[in-house]
Amino acid sequence: MTPGEPSGAADPDERRAELAESLARVRGRIAAACAAAGRDPAELTLIAVTKTFPASDVRLLAGLGLTEVGENRDQEARPKAADCADLPLTWHFVGRLQTNKARAVAGYAGVVHSVDRSRLVAALSDAAARAGRTLRCLVQVSLDEAEHRGGAAPDEVPGLADEIAAAEALELGGVMAVAPLGADPLPAFERLAAVAGEMRRNHPHARVVSAGMSGDLEQAIACGATHLRIGTALLGGRRAIVR
Ligand SMILES: *Cc1c(COP(=O)(O)O)cnc(C)c1O
């Protein structure tokens, strides 16, 4: 375990103290990165990515003032969102999404970060309309041609943005990306900033740039990120999921 990483204490009071401490540490990193970049920390939205951690942790984070929660698998997110339905939370779906899960996800998510193809736009729009909800969608941009962890190629982004903006029950929020594994995140986030700037020329309200995880939030902030998706630095190391 990395020093200073939350250990995942089982006792609720201990766990609360641990999460409060890691939250303060993350907020400190955000403040320092904003100072270095000449940005206002109020421009940044912190999303706690709670995958593999229990609903009780979501509840503790909500008690510490967090309102944005991220998950990457519907099977896990759906029961957790139901468990926390009494809390004032917005659920962000950040993982790869199959079209046959669109209906379920549209039932609890406020934002889907991983829209990367037309068929998914259609499925989400249909699902959100049936649920009587408006779903905010980000276009996930692939920053690495070689590797495929989801995301649309940069030249596919304008078309997808137009489709989302035109869809009945969807609202275009902006862009999302994951930095390529094992490479310097800075040039990748600079490419994302260029794609985001291009999108805003046609869709001036699509201002969200979802970039930055536990290991690269400083570089993301330097490149104009507005939303950070933080798991490990807040909640601790994830154990392997047994399926
Ligand atoms: C798990 C996950 C995160 C959080 O990653 P950490 O490195 O633990 O902060 C962010 N974004 C996506 C898409 C994820 O799947």
Side-chain angles (χ1 to χ4, degrees):
M1 176 154 300
T2 316
E5 211 176 66
S7 70
D11 175 70
D13 289 334
E14 244 178 75
R15 184 60 171 158
R16 182 183 297 106
E18 197 169 74
L19 290 173
E21 202 180 301
S22 57
L23 178 58
R25 211 156 36 223
V26 167
R27 290 236 161 94
R29 284 176 63 189
I30 294 172
C34 282
R39 298 187 59 191
D40 178 352
E43 295 169 23
L44 271 296
T45 300
L46 175 58
I47 302 167
V49 178
T50 51
K51 64 189 184 203
T52 79
F53 290 93
S56 57
D57 277 354
V58 177
R59 205 162 273 285
L60 290 172
L61 288 168
L64 294 169
L66 282 188
T67 56
E68 314 300 311
V69 184
E71 286 282 335
N72 72 336
R73 291 170 66 237
D74 173 59
Q75 305 91 294
E76 183 182 349
R78 203 183 330 171
K80 230 183 266 185
D83 203 307
C84 297
D86 58 311
L87 299 171
L89 298 172
T90 297
W91 292 81
H92 297 251
F93 193 86
V94 303
R96 298 200 80 166
L97 183 52
Q98 295 167 271
T99 49
N100 64 5
K101 296 285 169 64
R103 187 116 174 235
V105 169
Y108 57 83
V111 188
V112 176
H113 289 232
S114 46
V115 179
D116 61 359
R117 58 202 191 278
S118 287
R119 267 170 47 85
L120 189 53
V121 174
L124 286 169
S125 177
D126 186 51
R130 281 166 189 255
R133 307 185 69 219
T134 300
L135 204 51
R136 187 163 229 231
C137 291
L138 311 184
V139 178
Q140 183 176 350
V141 184
S142 170
L143 297 175
D144 188 342
E145 315 288 303
E147 188 194 356
H148 245 330
R149 289 200 287 166
D155 65 354
E156 298 169 337
V157 173
L160 283 170
D162 291 345
E163 284 174 33
I164 293 168
E168 183 189 351
L170 307 183
E171 176 188 294
L172 178 65
V175 297
M176 177 274 217
V178 178
L181 263 180
D184 182 358
L186 203 63
F189 288 150
E190 280 168 352
R191 288 201 296 283
L192 179 66
V195 172
E198 185 74 21
M199 185 185 286
R200 284 195 302 270
R201 288 203 300 160
N202 292 326
H203 302 282
H205 299 294
R207 313 194 66 82
V208 173
V209 180
S210 168
M213 313 192 344
S214 294
D216 56 23
L217 71 88
E218 285 82 4
Q219 291 91 338
I221 288 172
C223 295
T226 64
H227 288 59
L228 305 170
R229 308 179 310 270
I230 309 297
T232 315
L234 276 179
L235 291 126
R238 289 183 287 272
R239 282 153 190 83
I241 310 172
V242 182
R243 287 178 202 176

